[in-house]
Amino acid sequence: MIGFDLDSSESAVDLADCFSSVYAVVGIHPHDAANYGGATEARIRDLAVHPRVVAIGEIGLDYHYDLPPRDIQANVFRAQVELASEFELPVVIHCRDAYKDTLDVLEGWAGHVRLGGVMHCWGGSAGEAERALALGFHLGFGGVVTFKNAGETRDIAVPFHWIE
Ligand SMILES: [Zn+2]
């Protein structure tokens, strides 16, 4: 169960407590970055040490909707990557129309943290996919891969899913 704000993160942990097959991911989505403050971070920290929390997410950057200003999104993204690093948890990344800046932030952490995780609903270029894979990330492919104009996304997905 993936959280995207404080309420959904707490619900994810509650569900993980109820069902042995469910694990929780806690974090603040870029759409909600304007609400991230000391109290929110303190609560995420409390949740992050729960034994059934396996990652920090969804976190990242969204330049498609651009709801909070980009500098606020970036600060909140960096703060949560730092938190994941501190707790040695992987991350679940939300990224839309912001692959360069997202990968720049993640590459800034490469080498001195055990960073990795999932970049869900991949929509970046082949070159950006190589950068993400070099960082040890898994790429998630969603419904976008079926869109008529998503030829590059399909080309990226094919080798990892259908050829072996
Ligand atoms: Zn997302």
Side-chain angles (χ1 to χ4, degrees), residues 111-142:
H112 66 103
V113 290
R114 290 197 310 179
L115 188 64
V118 176
M119 303 199 67
H120 90 115
C121 206
W122 183 262
S125 69
E128 289 158 345
E130 281 174 20
R131 288 174 69 187
L133 293 172
L135 288 167
F137 275 85
H138 299 275
L139 308 183
F141 292 92

Side-chain angles (χ1 to χ4, degrees), residues 51-90:
R52 298 189 66 77
V53 169
V54 294
I56 299 296
E58 288 183 33
I59 61 173
L61 300 172
D62 192 313
Y63 294 172
H64 181 76
Y65 289 104
D66 258 336
L67 296 182
R70 293 181 181 184
D71 60 325
I72 291 176
Q73 291 189 46
N75 288 340
V76 171
F77 179 34
R78 283 198 207 92
Q80 292 182 99
V81 170
E82 191 171 340
L83 197 146
S85 161
E86 184 184 325
F87 289 97
E88 298 195 337
L89 289 169

Side-chain angles (χ1 to χ4, degrees), residues 14-31:
D14 287 344
L15 275 170
D17 266 336
C18 291
F19 300 99
S20 62
S21 58
V22 175
Y23 292 86
V25 176
V26 299
I28 307 298
H29 191 282
H31 286 349

